[in-house]
Amino acid sequence: MTDQPTTPLPVIIDCDTGVDDALALLFAVRHPALDLRAVTCVAGNTDVDQVVRNTLTVLEQAGAPDLPVARGAERPLIENTRRAAVHGRDGMGDLGLPAPDRMPVEVDAVTLLRREILAARRPVTLIPTAPLTNIALLLRTHPEVTRNIERIVFMGGAVAVGNATPVAEFNVWHDPEAAAILLTAGVPITMYGLDVFQQVVVPGTDVRRLRASDEPGTRLAGELLAHRPTAQGGPTEAEAAGGLGDAGAVCAVADPAGIATRLLPVEVSLAPGPARGQTIVDRRPRPGESEIHEGAREQPLVDVALEVDVDRFVKLYLETVERP
Ligand code: BDR
Ligand code: CA
């Protein structure tokens, strides 16, 4: 008999805050079954110093306990820095939020990740919602951390359609080599890719209610959601709706039954050209001619999220961020 089911799950978020990373942080801070131990920052949606500022601001507005936040990689392993234009000038929707009073810790992200993972009494779940540069550097610098990692649930990749390119999702496209290192980490991995990421949309009526809240964290969630593009568009109600984005990956940690996954081989395309950054997910039911003629190549298996219960995650998100 262990006390694990009632003990909150230790989690660490590695992010590039980012409108939807901010939604993910708000959720993680407020969910009673999650114990957010640290947050590490990486260049992605915006430059890493702005990511640190945005992250500290969100934690402050959410009334989070004083948890460590560290600055990480300022650029990808090989690629140039390419910020995501959709998140505004400050990377977080230009909401005019105050500068944070909180400060980052003095150690870098890789050092903080190692320290927190090895110090945890129960194996940690890592939730990267950003390019995977920090995670790759951690795995190469301190591979011993894998002994105390329960699972890595990352937002990234796509089985079907990309966003940064027709086939590549932004986080993987931004640093494909880092993503390839993650996939061979030798720990259980869940890929929360664009296929499910884009489906979880909070209806406009709920977004309006959150924005009208007196409570700063809840109100911030509403403001952020109002800045999230959705696949819909057109009628006013759909325009007011907002996708959970990265926050869906944290919902999947708090409530794994909300996604349906399959253990599948996943490989990142690293060759220059139009497929660079694509996550190639092998869904074939049997080996093809390539394997018959050339033999099977060893490939990492990843739990790939193929379906999501949208209503369940929207309800979970709203209940959590509106928690008194
Ligand atoms: C990912 O890219 C970023 O812009 C979002 O924060 C999310 O992590 C989606 O492709
Ligand atoms: Ca992100």
Side-chain angles (χ1 to χ4, degrees):
M1 194 67 177
T2 75
D3 63 346
Q4 287 198 359
T6 53
T7 311
L9 187 72
V11 298
I12 298 177
I13 294 183
D14 182 73
C15 55
D16 60 341
T17 322
V19 179
D20 57 332
D21 303 82
L23 290 166
L25 291 168
L26 281 166
F27 177 83
V29 163
R30 294 191 172 191
H31 196 288
L34 301 180
D35 175 16
L36 183 60
R37 309 288 311 161
V39 180
T40 50
C41 301
V42 66
N45 286 324
T46 185
D47 67 84
V48 71
D49 291 310
Q50 186 65 45
V51 170
V52 171
R53 272 195 293 278
N54 291 347
T55 301
L56 293 168
T57 296
V58 172
L59 293 173
E60 213 163 270
Q61 298 289 316
D66 187 20
L67 43 94
V69 173
R71 180 186 189 276
E74 25 180 273
R75 53 163 293 188
L77 298 180
I78 290 176
E79 284 290 353
N80 294 317
T81 304
R82 299 166 291 183
R83 48 183 294 176
V86 291
H87 292 256
R89 280 187 310 280
D90 71 354
M92 210 171 62
D94 298 320
L95 300 176
L97 294 169
D101 289 329
R102 297 182 183 205
M103 299 288 286
V105 292
E106 293 199 345
V107 297
D108 63 274
V110 169
T111 307
L112 179 67
L113 283 163
R114 176 184 183 275
R115 189 177 85 192
E116 291 296 327
I117 291 168
L118 294 182
R121 292 174 57 196
R122 181 178 167 193
V124 170
T125 298
L126 267 184
I127 317 175
T129 60
L132 295 144
T133 324
N134 285 346
I135 306 302
L137 291 169
L138 171 73
L139 291 166
R140 286 293 186 260
T141 316
H142 305 293
E144 71 277 13
V145 294
T146 56
R147 71 165 185 258
N148 210 30
I149 294 178
E150 173 89 23
R151 176 172 286 272
I152 301 179
V153 178
F154 79 103
M155 189 286 126
V159 179
V161 181
N163 57 1
T165 78
V167 294
E169 180 281 331
F170 177 81
N171 290 338
V172 174
W173 169 83
H174 199 265
D175 195 342
E177 281 72 20
I181 290 172
L182 165 83
L183 293 181
T184 52
V187 296
I189 295 176
T190 301
M191 177 172 128
Y192 186 89
L194 282 182
D195 318 271
V196 283
F197 171 98
Q198 284 170 335
Q199 288 188 44
V200 191
V201 175
V202 178
T205 45
D206 296 307
V207 175
R208 279 193 288 279
R209 188 182 67 256
L210 297 184
R211 291 179 88 178
S213 170
D214 292 338
E215 199 283 313
T218 306
R219 195 165 57 245
L220 177 57
E223 295 296 329
L224 292 162
L225 283 165
H227 279 77
R228 290 286 302 154
T230 66
Q232 293 134 326
T236 317
E237 185 58 28
E239 280 168 8
L244 282 190
D246 288 338
V250 192
C251 291
V253 173
D255 180 19
I259 52 170
T261 63
R262 260 181 74 196
L263 197 60
L264 294 166
V266 181
E267 188 173 16
V268 180
S269 172
L270 297 176
R276 182 160 162 81
Q278 178 179 12
T279 42
I280 300 166
V281 180
D282 189 353
R283 300 181 69 185
R284 294 173 300 171
R286 61 188 69 83
E289 294 299 325
S290 153
E291 288 76 19
I292 292 166
H293 292 289
E294 286 145 31
R297 288 178 304 122
E298 205 179 312
Q299 292 210 53
L301 293 174
V302 172
D303 279 303
V304 179
L306 297 175
E307 285 168 42
V308 58
D309 185 335
V310 174
D311 293 342
R312 181 171 172 141
F313 274 8
V314 167
K315 184 164 178 278
L316 173 67
Y317 191 82
L318 293 172
E319 276 174 5
T320 305
V321 298
E322 294 189 282
R323 198 176 287 277

